[in-house]
Structures are given as structure tokens and as C-alpha cells.
Amino acid sequence: MAGNQQTEARRTRVGVLALQGDVREHLAVLTSLGAEAVPVRRPDELAAVSGLVIPGGESTVMDKLSRTFGMAGPLRDAIDHGLPVYGTCAGLIMLADRLVDAPTTQRTIGGLDVSVRRNAFGAQNESFETDLEVPTLGQPPVHAVFIRAPVVVDVGPRATAIGVLDDGRVVAVEQGALLGTSFHPEVTADLRFHALLLQKATAHAAR
Ligand code: GLN
């Protein structure tokens, strides 16, 4: 059998929510993994993908734009219908069911049974890097890059912590088809989180 199962004829189409944020980096990673990677700005574009990345950026802006562009409702529907979605950083904030210390006007798409605190590492520590054990992905540890990152302060019964810092803070979670990380794998050469999303998307497409 051919080594590469992602043949041209049945490449899985995975979108990157392209309202705001680091869209291009995620498109490049997904393309390099063999997916058909497309930007998603409209409900009809969302309906045509089997998986989605919500990128890092600024969650308050992404929230406003998702509502202005009529994407908030369709995104939530797609999640409720099992669309695999991977949120990084601001994308994790968008996926969280609950926010802590956020402006009262800020909404999220939700779906992921967690509480998230924005900018949780404080001004002194706006960005940092560390090696993080993620048993789901095996060895080696993930080189995690945090940029004004949120942290998961509570993991509800439907979600599972899959990456925890030495001090106990949760920075990666999984819940069925949903994945969220506080950090940015798209700025490193580690493609394993995107590969996991692509695996979920390919399974979703085959349903
Ligand atoms: N601090 C940003 C927010 O609250 C997230 C930062 C990022 O995505 N790199 O939306």
C-alpha cells in the first residue's frame, strides 16, 4: 500500500478561522501535513471543512468579529455536531465554556468544558518557552511557546488535561473532537497537535 494515505483525491479539508490572528502559520502547518488547508470566514466555508483551527490572536477581537460576521452561531452548531476543532491560545479562549477575569461583554463560542483565565502569566512573563510532557503525543516532550497565554484554571468532568506545567497549571486539554493549548505549536517545527487534529478530521470526514 502507498505510504502516504493522504492522496490527492481524498485529502482532508481542514479550515483555519480567518477573522483575526496567526492564520497563515496554521495553514502552512496543515498543508505540510498533507491536508487541504483553507481559510474560513463565512458559514458556507465552515460547512465545507472536516476540521478547524482557531488560531492565536486577540480573543476579544475574534469574539466581536465572529458575531459581526454571523459566525458565532454556526461555529457553536458545528462543534455541537462533532466538528473537530483545535484552539491555540486565543483559540483556546474562544473554545472555553467559561472565562475568568474577562471583560463582562466578552463571549466565547464554547464547547470545551473548562474555565480559562486570559493573560494568566502576567506582564513580567508575557512570553516564555518550556518543554512540556504530553503523554497523548508520546516522546519527545513538546517545546511549548507561550505568548500572553491563557491558562486553564478548571477542567470540568467532560474535558481531560493532557498537558500540565511543573507547577500544576493546565495548558493543554482534550475533549472528544476538541483540542486546546495555551501555547503555539505553529511557531515550532512540532506538528503533532495539528496531526492529531487532522486524524480527528479525517475520521469525521469518513462518518
Ligand atoms: N492574550 C490574548 C487574548 O486574550 C491571547 C494571546 C495569543 O493568542 N497569543 O486573546
Side-chain angles (χ1 to χ4, degrees), residues 106-121:
Q106 183 171 0
R107 300 277 172 273
T108 67
I109 304 300
L112 198 53
D113 184 14
V114 296
S115 305
V116 165
R117 172 174 283 126
R118 294 180 59 211
N119 303 323
F121 294 95

Side-chain angles (χ1 to χ4, degrees), residues 110-187:
L112 198 53
D113 184 14
V114 296
S115 305
V116 165
R117 172 174 283 126
R118 294 180 59 211
N119 303 323
F121 294 95
Q124 268 96 21
N125 225 346
E126 287 229 310
S127 59
F128 70 100
E129 306 183 10
T130 190
D131 287 328
L132 180 74
E133 295 285 350
V134 182
T136 309
L137 301 180
Q139 288 300 321
V142 170
H143 188 69
V145 178
F146 296 82
I147 306 165
R148 294 187 302 114
V151 96
V152 176
V153 291
D154 181 57
V155 181
R158 290 183 299 127
T160 305
I162 60 168
V164 183
L165 294 174
D166 289 342
D167 64 9
R169 287 189 282 188
V170 175
V171 291
V173 287
E174 185 173 20
Q175 180 185 317
L178 303 179
L179 269 177
T181 61
S182 301
F183 49 88
H184 290 267
E186 76 282 4
V187 303

Side-chain angles (χ1 to χ4, degrees), residues 42-102:
R42 298 193 314 257
D44 61 315
E45 292 168 336
L46 179 64
V49 297
S50 302
L52 185 74
V53 171
I54 305 182
E58 180 52 48
S59 60
T60 51
V61 177
M62 235 184 270
D63 165 41
K64 287 203 189 95
L65 292 176
S66 69
R67 290 192 262 162
T68 305
F69 284 84
M71 283 297 281
L75 279 166
R76 183 55 198 247
D77 283 350
I79 289 170
D80 288 343
H81 285 90
L83 183 74
V85 180
Y86 172 29
T88 60
C89 205
L92 166 64
I93 296 170
M94 294 296 288
L95 280 181
D97 277 345
R98 297 168 296 277
L99 294 185
V100 176
D101 296 340

Side-chain angles (χ1 to χ4, degrees), residues 24-44:
R24 264 206 301 184
E25 291 83 348
H26 287 285
L27 289 171
V29 173
L30 291 165
T31 302
S32 76
L33 286 169
E36 181 190 351
V38 294
V40 165
R41 290 188 192 86
R42 298 193 314 257
D44 61 315

